[in-house]
Amino acid sequence: MTRPAAGAPLSRVDGWLKVTGQAAYAAEHDAHGAVRDVAHGVIVTSTAGRGRINGIDTRAAGALPGVLTVISHLNAPKLPYQPFRGMPDPAAGGGERLRVFQDDRVRFFGQPVAVVVAETLEAARHAAALVRIGYDGEPPATDLTSPAGPPNKPENYQRGDVETALRQAHTRLTRTYRLPREQHHPMETHATIAHWNGDRLTLWDKTQNVLNTRADLAAVFGIPPESIRVISPFVGGAFGSALRAWPHVTIAALAARQVRRPVKVVLTREQMFTGTGHRPVTDYTLTLAAGQDGRLTAAVHDISAATSTYEDYRESLTVQGRMLYATSNVRQTYRSIPLDISTPTYMRGPGAATAAFAIECAMDELAHELGIDPIDLRLRNEPGQDPSTGAPFSTRRLRECLRIGSRTVGWGDRDPEPRSAHDGNWLLGTGVAVASYHTLRAPAQALARIDADGNAIVQCATSDMGPGTYTSMTQVAADALGLPMAGVRFQLGDSTMPQSPPHGGSLTMASVGSAVQDTCDKLRLQAIRLAVEDPGSPLHGASANDVAVENGRLHLRDDPERGETYRQLLARADLSHLETPGGYTPGDEVERFSTHAYGAVFAQVAVDESLGLVRIRRVLGVYDAGRVINPKLAESQAIGGMVGGIGMALLEHAVTDPRDGRIVNANLADYLVPVNADVPDVNAIYLRGDDRTADPIGVKGLGEVVIVGVAPAIANAVFHATGRRIRSLPITIEALL
Ligand code: MOS
């Protein structure tokens, strides 16, 4: 038997293309020869945070050599935004986000207000700096406490009798936790090249969802989705920022139509702060009530999170509050607060990472107040079934995660008393937090083909923003087809390929992986049937069930000598290829089972007593994510997520100037992210196993859960080290002094 590819710690199949510069990213398709004669668009953004444009002077810009046009609301064509028949509006209000240059209104600082198109990037940048724009500005509303307009309809949830439970509780605590605005900041900035051929539009775009970009742009221009092709074979990181189309995609397409040639728009790092979403500012007030034994009797979650005035963005802020701990009495209110800002969006562990910070810090506070060990407190509140639905958990191995993690970090030796451990001038602390992320699945399709040379191509319109989709799908396909890894090419990132859900929410492996497996199983069986029915085949007359395929060769399980290769089979049948579509549609497992990925995160920190400086010494995550298709990629995902969590805890904060809505630190020198020196010892352990009710391939998703729980584990470690409870992220030196 050859060893299965799935489960093996294989290196990325596209790694070589990436390190040799052969992988074409969105802004590079002209350099790679896919499109010629590209003009450059540079976006001019608003320097007012709210108000109206009262004049635009483009004379100096237009007079520069090489400038082709300047487009603004003064001369832009009207854009309809008609979600095409049957196409869902991907985000209610997406029209407002994408219908650029339609009026003189300024909705946020950094809003695109004009684009300069020129022969060269240099000319376009120079000209963009010469565009003069006047504003009738008003002070923008940028703070949760003073919204820009009437509040959106809150999301409410209630179970049990909260009031009575609160009244009768032995212990009650109410705390407010605050998360700042955080920015995704993938290495590759967002970029789009747009090219019209008559009424047909091709977009080379950085996106986690070619089909969404296609649907959005079809709506913007009022054309059928079939007349748009979106191509996105490589994505240099995204973390959610590329789940939606943003204004610059419209701008590239609009400009290309205007100048009648392809136009490329690349956002600057500064424009990324307001141009591609962010994790919303969130205030999370949590009341926990418990008995003396630590059992939770009630929880009240009062959540306010920022959105824009033109879209009601919401994320999964309420999931954990309903299901993480056994509590009969729960009330939740989630308000999205309209502000004069650009619309927030999904950012790694969206909602869950935020909620976990509040819930897991509050659990630590409760443990301290009751004098119960924080791990013990969690075990005492471990539910036997989903407390919100009563459904059984498909798998839930949180106890194991906690046990393995506590053993690995030596939790038993920890003195629970804050400020009890020292290393010279450093106060040492160890903290724990629990993580969960709901397993999402969505319908996906794939196409698989075996060519006359015996090699296979498998396609799906999904994306690979970094987790290694190319590699993990190749592994699944190789096993199902009985081919070596080198015999399978997996292709993605093209809207002409079979339908895929968004590459986000940790649903790609579960959904696309299951579709790939189904498709490749069907293709293998098709080949086997062809052989057993073919009188010329050595397998003629055998039962299809008795035939296996290994290394591209079909053979009888009981008599491996008897067989032939795909290549021989196709040659004799005179076929250029064998091809089959397939797919995956989630069943009702979602209703019958409660399916989530889990984790226990342990952090050890040292805090300089006189300087307030926090240094991470160690982060360990122990994860129950179901089956792991590629341990090497999974570890890489976990390290990335934990580094993101360190950023959340200690560094990341986009600061808004309340006077005009400007992001004060809109660059990577002032918006801090962890560097190697901030990340000494980060490790992940995945429990072996699978979840056969989650989806056909047994995975629960792991890209999101690995960031969840990191920030509260660190905050709890800082409390253990210092006795100081910091409830506003990031935990800065100033906060600790
Ligand atoms: Mo992830 S925030 O769903 O890209």
Side-chain angles (χ1 to χ4, degrees):
M1 279 294 283
T2 47
R3 289 160 67 93
L10 304 180
S11 295
R12 290 169 194 270
V13 295
D14 53 333
W16 183 251
L17 292 179
K18 285 182 170 174
V19 298
T20 56
Q22 295 175 74
Y25 292 86
E28 301 177 333
H29 287 276
D30 51 343
H32 284 265
V35 52
R36 281 168 204 290
D37 196 28
V38 170
H40 298 263
V42 168
I43 296 173
V44 180
T45 58
S46 163
T47 54
R50 173 187 167 118
R52 292 191 182 273
I53 299 166
N54 64 22
I56 299 185
D57 181 351
T58 62
R59 281 170 301 182
L64 273 189
V67 172
L68 301 172
T69 187
V70 183
I71 308 171
S72 70
H73 75 279
L74 298 177
N75 58 352
K78 289 299 150 214
L79 297 171
Y81 203 83
Q82 292 157 348
F84 206 68
R85 44 153 221 283
M87 303 293 288
D89 183 357
E96 286 299 299
R97 168 166 37 97
L98 296 170
R99 288 172 63 250
V100 295
F101 311 150
Q102 296 297 291
D103 57 36
D104 62 358
R105 275 192 54 201
V106 174
R107 294 163 179 81
F108 60 92
F109 188 102
Q111 174 187 314
V113 288
V115 61
V116 177
V117 188
E119 293 287 348
T120 64
L121 176 61
E122 291 75 12
R125 284 180 72 166
H126 184 188
L130 298 178
V131 175
R132 294 278 165 261
I133 302 184
Y135 299 95
D136 291 326
E138 303 161 27
T142 59
D143 194 287
L144 281 182
T145 56
S146 51
N152 296 310
K153 195 171 167 295
E155 232 173 274
N156 294 313
Y157 170 83
Q158 170 134 21
R159 71 169 182 255
D161 180 357
V162 172
E163 297 312 321
T164 306
L166 287 176
R167 250 195 332 270
Q168 294 172 351
H170 168 268
T171 296
R172 247 190 351 238
L173 59 82
T174 299
R175 302 283 187 270
T176 297
Y177 302 89
R178 296 205 159 85
L179 277 95
R181 171 171 173 154
E182 293 169 2
Q183 308 283 154
H184 305 73
H185 285 316
M187 297 256 281
E188 178 205 19
T189 55
H190 279 243
T192 306
I193 300 174
H195 174 40
W196 290 88
N197 189 348
D199 287 337
R200 301 188 67 81
L201 172 63
T202 304
L203 294 165
W204 289 269
D205 186 33
K206 174 186 177 112
T207 177
Q208 291 166 247
N209 191 347
V210 287
L211 298 176
N212 190 33
T213 300
R214 186 179 71 164
D216 261 337
L217 270 284
V220 166
F221 289 96
I223 57 178
E226 299 75 43
S227 57
I228 300 180
R229 181 174 177 194
V230 182
I231 300 172
S232 182
F234 290 97
V235 175
F239 316 108
S241 66
L243 278 167
R244 292 177 165 182
W246 297 102
H248 69 274
V249 183
T250 303
I251 291 171
L254 191 67
R257 204 166 63 170
Q258 200 87 350
V259 301
R260 298 177 171 280
R261 61 190 265 199
V263 169
K264 168 154 73 176
V265 174
V266 182
L267 294 188
T268 63
R269 186 56 67 178
E270 184 178 3
Q271 289 173 339
M272 291 278 291
F273 278 81
T274 46
T276 58
H278 55 271
R279 195 191 297 280
V281 170
T282 306
D283 281 5
Y284 196 124
T285 300
L286 179 55
T287 297
L288 293 180
Q292 197 164 6
D293 59 0
R295 283 179 202 273
L296 292 171
T297 51
V300 181
H301 308 251
D302 201 338
I303 310 164
S304 295
T307 186
S308 68
T309 54
Y310 53 95
E311 282 180 285
D312 187 0
Y313 168 76
R314 304 197 183 206
E315 56 189 26
S316 306
L317 275 162
T318 56
V319 175
Q320 288 146 308
R322 296 177 195 185
M323 52 61 67
L324 197 49
Y325 295 115
T327 321
S328 313
N329 308 299
V330 175
R331 191 168 66 221
Q332 292 179 316
T333 307
Y334 171 12
R335 295 178 192 82
S336 64
I337 309 289
L339 299 176
D340 296 313
I341 58 171
S342 58
T343 309
T345 197
Y346 312 102
M347 180 166 159
R348 202 161 190 179
T354 302
F357 176 64
I359 295 170
E360 290 304 291
C361 286
M363 285 296 277
D364 200 69
E365 299 206 37
L366 182 65
H368 184 71
E369 204 148 310
L370 291 169
I372 298 176
D373 176 82
I375 292 178
D376 198 24
L377 180 71
R378 288 170 174 88
L379 294 176
R380 290 184 198 191
N381 287 288
E382 182 67 5
Q385 76 243 343
D386 189 314
S388 64
T389 59
F393 294 112
S394 58
T395 49
R396 173 165 166 138
R397 300 167 67 191
L398 193 46
R399 286 172 183 278
E400 257 175 282
C401 294
L402 285 164
R403 194 174 61 233
I404 292 169
S406 63
R407 206 173 52 213
T408 309
V409 303
W411 183 268
D413 301 333
R414 169 186 182 267
D415 180 341
E417 196 51 37
R419 305 180 65 87
S420 57
H422 300 259
D423 174 7
N425 200 38
W426 297 90
L427 298 168
L428 303 181
T430 303
V432 68
V434 153
S436 75
Y437 196 83
H438 45 289
T439 298
L440 296 168
R441 290 85 39 90
Q445 289 164 14
L447 186 70
R449 186 179 88 208
I450 298 171
D451 284 322
D453 63 5
N455 292 323
I457 288 179
V458 182
Q459 292 186 330
C460 174
T462 184
S463 166
D464 184 353
M465 69 170 139
T469 312
Y470 275 112
T471 310
S472 52
M473 297 305 160
T474 304
Q475 290 173 273
V476 171
D479 288 348
L481 290 170
L483 282 168
M485 286 290 285
V488 178
R489 208 139 48 93
F490 184 75
Q491 298 176 331
L492 54 71
D494 188 327
S495 60
T496 60
M497 293 176 181
Q499 171 214 306
S500 164
H503 176 49
S506 294
L507 57 65
T508 303
M509 198 66 240
S511 314
V512 178
S514 295
V516 165
Q517 174 153 298
D518 173 77
T519 308
C520 294
D521 279 344
K522 284 185 174 136
L523 182 56
R524 186 190 69 246
L525 286 172
Q526 189 187 340
I528 291 172
R529 270 198 301 273
L530 186 67
V532 298
E533 288 165 12
D534 180 349
S537 169
L539 295 165
H540 181 241
S543 157
N545 291 332
D546 295 337
V547 180
V549 188
E550 269 179 83
N551 256 318
R553 183 172 172 277
L554 300 74
H555 64 82
L556 278 184
R557 286 179 212 278
D558 294 340
D559 182 7
E561 293 300 304
R562 213 178 124 193
E564 65 175 330
T565 62
Y566 282 136
R567 203 172 154 160
Q568 291 166 325
L569 175 67
L570 266 72
R572 194 181 50 255
D574 198 22
L575 291 170
S576 65
H577 65 274
L578 275 180
E579 182 178 277
T580 189
Y584 164 65
T585 308
D588 66 352
E589 311 90 358
V590 192
E591 288 93 63
R592 290 191 295 117
F593 293 96
S594 174
T595 306
H596 303 258
Y598 295 94
V601 185
F602 293 79
Q604 293 178 329
V605 303
V607 183
D608 186 302
E609 169 127 52
S610 15
L611 297 178
L613 182 69
V614 181
R615 304 299 296 165
I616 306 283
R617 294 221 167 159
R618 178 181 201 178
V619 181
L620 170 72
V622 186
Y623 301 107
D624 160 25
R627 179 165 166 232
V628 172
I629 299 294
N630 184 321
K632 187 176 189 177
L633 294 171
E635 187 191 24
S636 164
Q637 276 285 86
I639 291 171
M642 286 191 270
V643 170
I646 293 172
M648 283 183 80
L650 301 179
L651 300 165
E652 297 190 50
H653 182 190
V655 179
T656 305
D657 187 330
R659 293 169 303 179
D660 57 5
R662 185 176 67 103
I663 303 297
V664 175
N665 54 344
N667 58 71
L668 284 179
D670 297 314
Y671 181 93
L672 303 179
V673 295
V675 297
N676 274 336
D678 300 309
V679 184
D681 183 3
V682 167
N683 283 293
I685 297 170
Y686 287 92
L687 303 186
R688 283 173 180 280
D690 61 10
D691 188 329
R692 287 292 157 184
T693 48
D695 46 74
I697 62 171
V699 306
K700 294 204 286 185
L702 56 81
E704 319 287 338
V705 74
V706 291
I707 193 173
V708 179
V710 177
I714 292 170
N716 294 341
V718 168
F719 171 75
H720 182 231
T722 64
R724 300 278 302 279
R725 194 59 84 171
I726 310 300
R727 302 187 183 91
S728 261
L729 293 182
I731 300 169
T732 57
I733 288 170
E734 300 91 295
L736 282 171
L737 280 181

